[in-house]
Amino acid sequence: MANFNTHISVAFVASGVTGLVIYKAGMLTAPEYLMCVVAGTIGGLLPDIDLDHSVPATVGFNVVSLLTAFFIVILCVGQFSLVALAGLWLASYLLMRYGVFNLYSKLTVHRGIVHSIPYLGIMAMTLVYASFYGFKQGAVISWFLGLFLMFGAIVHLLLDEMFSVNLLGLSVKKSFGTAFKVFKFDQVGWYLGLYAVLAALIVFAPPFKLFWQTLQDPISWLILKKNILPTAINLPNIH
């Protein structure tokens, strides 16, 4: 499997280049472009959160726990005193970091369902929901964020599969085929559940029509075509 540096570097570059194309087409603002690159880079680390002591797991669990604690405090800020809010923040963080995520670690194994397309699709849709309903972002940027997260995650899976092949020796490792999974018959119950959750998230998802119209807008592609090559610079005539 590819190491941490490879995953984060390739996901960052792939997301940056893809996002730059969309940005130059006028579909994203500069801040939105940066957010998409961050989402894609995080997606490139997402499948490795099933490794208990990996960098993505440690950092990811801490960040999510901190954000969850702050979000709960924000929701309750008008109802409790400062001391009570501080206690609520600490309790929320500890519950997430050492309760929920410890349970998560026990229930998952490396290259299990976390390395599957439906699971990563659920994570991407969760980001779409969080952006649109939680942070009140527009539908277009919310869908872009979710898709960039998914894109980065797929880059991760493909890298793992590529590193399972020895091109010089024309051989494959035993791990080949374990990173990129769509369905496994020996875990049929888990996968049916994942697809059911993913289907429900898609059915009740934020508006997709505006996002699709943005992608199909011919003006955007004309703008991109205009921005592909550098424009000629007219130098002043010094004679």
Side-chain angles (χ1 to χ4, degrees), residues 25 28 33 39 57 71-72 88 93 104 110 150 166 168 203 222:
L28 295 171
Y33 163 61
F71 183 69
I72 291 174
L88 179 62
Y93 171 79
Y104 175 88
H110 186 46
M150 187 69 182
N166 183 355
L168 296 178
V203 169
L222 288 174

Side-chain angles (χ1 to χ4, degrees), residues 216-232:
Q216 291 184 310
D217 190 350
I219 296 178
S220 298
W221 298 108
L222 288 174
I223 293 174
L224 176 61
K225 184 179 179 180
K226 181 180 178 181
N227 288 326
I228 289 178
L229 298 176
T231 56

Side-chain angles (χ1 to χ4, degrees), residues 34-237:
L34 293 177
M35 288 192 295
C36 285
V37 174
V38 171
T41 305
I42 292 174
L45 302 176
L46 190 60
D48 275 350
I49 63 173
D50 56 1
L51 278 169
D52 295 353
H53 303 294
S54 68
V55 175
T58 303
V59 175
F61 289 174
N62 277 323
V63 170
V64 172
S65 298
L66 287 169
L67 291 177
T68 301
F70 277 116
F71 183 69
I72 291 174
V73 168
I74 290 172
L75 290 178
C76 303
V77 70
Q79 304 175 34
F80 300 103
S81 66
L82 180 60
V83 173
L85 288 173
L88 179 62
W89 183 93
L90 181 61
S92 301
Y93 171 79
L94 293 176
L95 177 62
M96 285 296 297
R97 181 63 185 88
Y98 298 104
V100 173
F101 283 125
N102 279 354
L103 177 62
Y104 175 88
S105 296
K106 291 179 180 179
L107 292 176
T108 57
V109 294
H110 186 46
R111 293 204 174 187
I113 61 172
V114 176
H115 268 70
S116 71
I117 294 300
Y119 178 87
L120 296 172
I122 291 172
M123 295 296 99
M125 289 304 302
T126 299
L127 180 56
V128 174
Y129 274 72
S131 174
F132 187 77
Y133 294 111
F135 296 99
K136 307 301 180 183
Q137 299 292 314
V140 175
I141 180 57
S142 296
W143 278 104
F144 268 126
L145 288 172
L147 288 174
F148 265 83
L149 185 77
M150 187 69 182
F151 173 66
I154 289 176
V155 168
H156 178 114
L157 301 187
L158 292 175
L159 279 173
D160 278 349
E161 294 293 5
M162 289 171 60
F163 273 75
S164 297
V165 179
N166 183 355
L167 295 178
L168 296 178
L170 296 178
S171 61
V172 295
K173 300 178 182 178
K174 291 182 179 180
S175 59
F176 181 73
T178 62
F180 200 106
K181 294 189 289 292
V182 177
F183 193 86
K184 287 192 69 176
F185 286 101
D186 59 346
Q187 293 180 304
V188 61
W190 280 104
Y191 276 88
L192 289 177
L194 288 175
Y195 278 111
V197 172
L198 180 59
L201 289 172
I202 293 174
V203 169
F204 298 103
F208 185 77
K209 185 177 181 181
L210 182 59
F211 170 75
W212 187 243
Q213 288 175 341
T214 301
L215 289 181
Q216 291 184 310
D217 190 350
I219 296 178
S220 298
W221 298 108
L222 288 174
I223 293 174
L224 176 61
K225 184 179 179 180
K226 181 180 178 181
N227 288 326
I228 289 178
L229 298 176
T231 56
I233 300 176
N234 295 320
L235 298 175
N237 190 348

